[in-house]
Amino acid sequence: MHRTTITALTLAAVMVAAPFAAAPASAAAGPNLRACYDGKCKITITKPVSFRVSSRYRLSRVRVSKVYVGGLFHADMVRVEAPGLVTTLGEGASGSLNSLSVRVLSITDRGATVRFEG
């Protein structure tokens, strides 16, 4: 009984001293991919994402992921893909898939921030 009381008191003290921190709602929700349908949005990804875009870009879906490119670059980059099209961009670089423009704003250990400019 004595050990149980000490264990319970120890756990209670730890919980009071270091309360659990909840993740912010925006981080838990992930990027708003529906906002990218018109080809104009800014997203931060922590894992690969895929979303639909307007038919005016002649693309059905776009997939965005952070990748490591070895060889000449030895760097993390952003890979943007659509059926039959691929572009891999470093931080600060711009590119396009058909007429959909994309710019890599930043790349971190946790993910990347990308702006689609239509």
Side-chain angles (χ1 to χ4, degrees):
M1 177 88 169
H2 182 55
R3 278 191 185 163
T4 305
T5 304
I6 291 173
T7 303
L9 289 173
T10 303
L11 286 173
V14 168
M15 291 176 74
V16 169
F20 294 103
S26 61
N32 180 7
L33 300 176
R34 287 186 179 181
C36 294
Y37 182 79
D38 68 354
K40 297 178 182 178
C41 68
K42 176 180 163 185
I43 59 172
T44 299
I45 62 164
T46 56
K47 62 183 179 182
V49 297
S50 179
F51 54 89
R52 293 178 48 82
V53 293
S54 173
S55 60
R56 71 178 173 189
Y57 298 109
R58 300 181 321 271
L59 307 167
S60 56
R61 294 191 75 72
V62 173
R63 183 176 191 273
V64 182
S65 58
K66 184 179 116 176
V67 296
Y68 177 78
V69 178
L72 180 64
F73 295 104
H74 291 290
D76 287 327
M77 300 181 103
V78 173
R79 183 178 176 108
V80 184
E81 304 172 67
L85 302 169
V86 176
T87 186
T88 304
L89 304 167
E91 189 170 54
S94 296
S96 65
L97 297 174
N98 287 347
S99 59
L100 179 63
S101 297
V102 60
R103 179 180 209 55
V104 177
L105 301 176
S106 66
I107 301 173
T108 66
D109 290 341
R110 299 190 68 199
T113 301
V114 180
R115 172 173 284 138
F116 289 90
E117 300 170 335

